Amino acid sequence: MAARTPQPTLVEAVLAQRGVLRPGLVGDGFSHTQDAVLRAACARAALLGDLLPPGGYPHVGLLLENTPEYVHWLQACVLAGATAVGVNPTRRGPDLYRDIQHTDCALLVTERRLLPLLAAAPLPQRVLVVDHPGYADLLAPYRDAPPPAALPGPGTRMLLTFTSGSTGAPKAVVCSQRRLARAGDKLREQFRLTAEDTGYACMPLFHGNALMGLWSPMLLARGTVALRRRFSASHFLDDVRAHRARYFTYVGRAVSYVLATEPRPDDARSPLRLGFGTEAGAVDAARFEARFGCRLVEGYGSSEGGCNLRQDPAAPPGAVGRAGSGPGDDLAVVDPDTGAECPRSRFDRHGRLVNGAEAIGELVNRTAGSGFEGYWRNPEAGAARVRDGWYWTGDLFHRDADGWFRFAGRGDDWLRVDSENLAVADIENILARWEQARAVAVYAVPDPVAGDQVMAAVQPRTELPGPPADRVAGELASLAGSLAAFLGAQPDLGSKMPPRFVRLVRAMPVTATHKTARAALRAERWHTDDPVLWRPYQRGAGPLAYRTLTATDRERLRELFAAHGRTALDAGHGDRDRERERDRDRDGSSGRATG
């Protein structure tokens, strides 16, 4: 049996660009050969050697949009043994300043359009502005610099990427060159990416999706990276055609935004063949493939790298993957309090989960050294993530008798309705099939007596009605009737699953990485100017029917909560301890976009 080829290192992959005249970086108005990209990286690595203070952390903050400079500095950090800190330009004020200070950035690289964000910030000693005239003069003496004489090893800290949590400030995840190379090489091999391929980088490079899912695999494949400064649904197809891109990555609502663009007669002649990401949902994935001839591969994972599942073509509907996605991984669904493995999930003939109360638990990796390398300056969060030798994801799953894992929600995305545990993802997958819905998100709101009620935010396909009032009322009544009829016809909709409240939004709120901003929806509940449909509380099991929530209804709800000693702002979630000291480190949620 032939020995497996050793995994290439990032340093080797960067240096392999020497003399290669194929495109390395392309985009709107630029095209750089791989040899030119290497020379740019060498120049910046040499500059780093002179700029970074001795004895300090070699951390380089990158407050940039997706420009060639971002990639040049990433590769410079590879060669110089420095750490690239992805600074999120959508953060503001004290939050942005805290990110820069917390990660001990000795140098900040930015551009003029983002300088206003730093107006009152206590900045590092040195700030480089890449489109300032003096920047080219600063680089000029290093233009022909060779690679550093002493190159870093694979264990060198390469990245600090922020991951948002539901409690406290975002955490900076540590990623070594070895882990980044391993993640990229795994995708390169799985998707058979080659030097002839172009990957379209439309997701922000400060996020792990673009770095681990696109930049690293394309570098190791010796392919081409096509950059889009900021994601644009309207430019998506033009870009992939202009650059002949065959591969791209996505997160959250990005796929739904592309599907919302006006169809073209030649959509199916797109060069795209494969997209890799998270949270597109089965409905949108099927629509995307039908329209563009491009298969979407959904994965489960995180920037921490402690546990990953990738979609298997043989997976049944709704399954993410099964054990064996990573070498040596021992994945299990366990009770978060006892650590005991949960019973396997069972389904009725309609595909409804019938034992969610016992089957839903937290996904863990019981393999020591699962890949998680810690959080920068946050040992407490790291200790909560790895306990008793296990990596705890903080996410809810169930696993069937054949070993397939199904996502049930993020740590706070489960519901307990009338003493029955429900998985948010199951309800979202059903709502995503409603022909009137462009995007959906499901979350828990408090019940006036105990536990939760189901609430959904839905972005309709058609624009929400405006004045006059009679037209508004008529169109909302039509939507309410359509929703009730749709839900009543779904064989896999359990009796506790129909949403009590449905908020109709003009645009689904999202984070900087296009994931649903679940926390804001959960906090506002029905206290919003958006139209809200609801099923009034009643005795017995009446017909499924919705109507518009009125000001009078809101007052009666307040009285109902007060009568039971609660308020509509209670945390809900029954007897669960929602203040459990366990990290929930996901940016956004599992809201499903439907195109």
Side-chain angles (χ1 to χ4, degrees):
M1 183 175 178
R4 179 180 171 84
T5 303
Q7 177 188 298
T9 67
L10 287 184
V11 169
E12 290 168 346
V14 170
L15 294 179
Q17 300 171 111
R18 184 188 303 276
V20 179
L21 300 183
R22 290 193 307 272
L25 273 181
V26 297
D28 188 12
F30 63 87
S31 178
H32 305 309
T33 67
Q34 293 186 25
D35 183 71
V37 173
L38 172 61
R39 286 188 282 109
C42 289
R44 286 153 182 79
L47 175 62
L48 268 180
D50 289 342
L51 289 185
L52 289 177
Y57 293 111
H59 292 184
V60 181
L62 300 180
L63 180 59
L64 298 164
E65 293 181 339
N66 284 13
T67 62
E69 284 291 341
Y70 206 124
V71 176
H72 295 335
W73 280 99
L74 282 174
Q75 295 200 14
C77 286
V78 171
L79 296 177
T83 302
V85 179
V87 183
N88 183 346
T90 67
R91 285 170 67 78
R92 296 291 185 270
D95 291 338
L96 178 65
Y97 312 155
R98 178 262 175 199
D99 292 351
I100 296 170
Q101 290 182 314
H102 173 72
T103 48
D104 298 299
C105 291
L107 173 69
L108 183 67
V109 183
T110 188
E111 52 188 310
R112 281 191 286 190
R113 68 192 300 167
L114 299 178
L115 279 177
L117 301 179
L118 304 170
L123 296 174
Q125 187 174 4
R126 196 68 191 251
V127 178
L128 301 184
V129 183
V130 299
D131 48 356
H132 186 279
Y135 179 69
D137 295 336
L138 183 67
L139 277 173
Y142 305 93
R143 183 173 293 117
D144 298 320
L151 294 167
T156 304
R157 186 171 55 249
M158 170 63 200
L159 300 173
L160 292 179
T161 58
F162 285 102
T163 176
S164 298
S166 62
T167 59
K171 302 165 187 66
V173 180
V174 175
C175 179
S176 66
Q177 290 200 21
R178 178 185 293 108
R179 184 160 77 86
L180 185 56
R182 182 186 300 131
D185 198 47
K186 186 182 295 184
L187 290 180
R188 177 201 61 78
E189 184 176 26
Q190 178 182 352
F191 298 147
R192 299 180 182 178
L193 299 172
T194 72
E196 304 303 316
D197 289 319
T198 295
Y200 179 50
C202 55
M203 295 291 100
L205 285 167
F206 65 77
H207 191 260
N209 169 273
L211 292 172
M212 298 182 181
L214 193 135
W215 176 71
S216 176
M218 295 311 303
L219 175 66
L220 292 162
R222 304 185 183 184
T224 303
V225 172
L227 292 175
R228 160 58 58 177
R229 176 179 275 273
R230 285 176 291 180
F231 173 76
S232 168
S234 61
H235 288 91
F236 181 88
L237 194 58
D238 290 337
D239 282 351
V240 299
R241 283 181 168 152
H243 305 305
R244 304 298 302 166
R246 296 166 55 87
Y247 174 67
F248 79 107
T249 61
Y250 62 89
V251 177
R253 314 229 80 84
V255 167
S256 73
Y257 295 151
V258 174
L259 287 170
T261 60
E262 192 69 25
R264 304 181 188 179
D266 57 352
D267 278 347
R269 293 197 290 275
S270 159
L272 283 175
R273 292 295 174 265
L274 185 70
F276 174 67
T278 61
E279 302 180 17
V283 173
D284 270 6
R287 290 173 176 164
F288 197 91
E289 184 169 8
R291 179 171 166 182
F292 299 110
C294 174
R295 180 169 66 95
L296 300 186
V297 176
E298 287 275 302
Y300 166 80
S302 66
S303 299
E304 290 89 341
C307 182
N308 293 280
L309 289 165
R310 291 197 177 91
Q311 194 179 59
D312 187 316
V320 178
R322 57 181 170 187
S325 294
D329 283 348
D330 179 15
L331 307 185
V333 177
V334 303
D335 183 295
D337 295 318
T338 68
E341 190 161 351
C342 295
R344 299 298 175 99
S345 50
R346 294 181 284 105
F347 304 87
D348 65 14
R349 62 188 181 88
H350 298 299
R352 281 192 299 240
L353 177 65
V354 298
N355 65 332
E358 64 176 7
I360 295 174
E362 186 168 347
L363 181 67
V364 300
N365 189 346
R366 298 182 293 200
T367 303
S370 60
F372 176 54
E373 296 175 319
Y375 298 112
W376 181 254
R377 292 196 182 281
N378 198 336
E380 296 82 5
R385 185 62 69 189
V386 179
R387 305 192 305 277
D388 301 323
W390 294 3
Y391 177 83
W392 296 73
T393 67
D395 289 336
L396 302 171
F397 276 76
H398 52 93
R399 185 183 189 185
D400 68 19
D402 294 322
W404 294 104
F405 290 91
R406 288 172 170 82
F407 181 72
R410 300 303 186 191
D412 280 340
D413 293 345
W414 63 300
L415 309 93
R416 188 166 179 81
V417 179
D418 292 341
S419 300
E420 181 176 331
N421 287 348
L422 302 176
V424 161
D426 291 345
I427 305 173
E428 283 180 341
N429 287 335
I430 293 171
L431 271 176
R433 302 196 296 253
W434 184 31
E435 62 181 9
Q436 299 282 0
R438 184 181 301 284
V440 302
V442 171
Y443 45 98
V445 294
D447 180 85
V449 179
D452 305 321
Q453 288 292 330
V454 182
M455 186 163 184
V458 175
Q459 180 184 344
R461 290 190 177 278
T462 57
E463 188 175 348
L464 286 172
D470 56 347
R471 186 169 75 87
V472 173
E475 294 195 28
L476 290 179
S478 176
L479 280 173
S482 172
L483 175 62
F486 164 78
L487 292 175
Q490 304 310 302
D492 53 345
L493 185 77
S495 61
K496 311 294 186 184
M497 288 182 171
R500 175 71 61 186
F501 302 93
V502 178
R503 175 177 175 176
L504 302 174
V505 298
R506 285 171 171 78
M508 192 67 71
V510 295
T511 67
T513 52
H514 308 288
K515 296 184 179 181
T516 306
R518 180 78 55 96
L521 292 170
R522 188 186 291 119
E524 292 174 354
R525 292 162 187 156
W526 51 85
H527 306 292
T528 171
D529 292 334
D530 291 333
V532 176
L533 306 177
W534 81 309
R535 297 185 297 113
Y537 293 96
Q538 60 183 11
R539 295 183 184 276
L544 191 63
Y546 289 90
R547 65 173 175 82
T548 303
L549 184 73
T550 66
T552 301
D553 293 329
R554 287 181 169 87
E555 178 60 23
R556 288 175 178 168
L557 279 170
R558 188 192 66 78
E559 294 171 355
L560 183 61
F561 274 83
H564 292 279
R566 311 185 83 198
T567 75
L569 298 180
D570 282 346
H573 288 269
D575 297 326
R576 285 180 293 147
D577 180 9
R578 296 197 62 204
E579 301 305 318
R580 184 180 293 153
E581 292 297 324
R582 181 172 296 127
D583 274 339
R584 309 301 190 195
D585 289 331
R586 293 298 182 275
D587 178 7
S589 71
S590 63
R592 297 296 191 261
T594 65

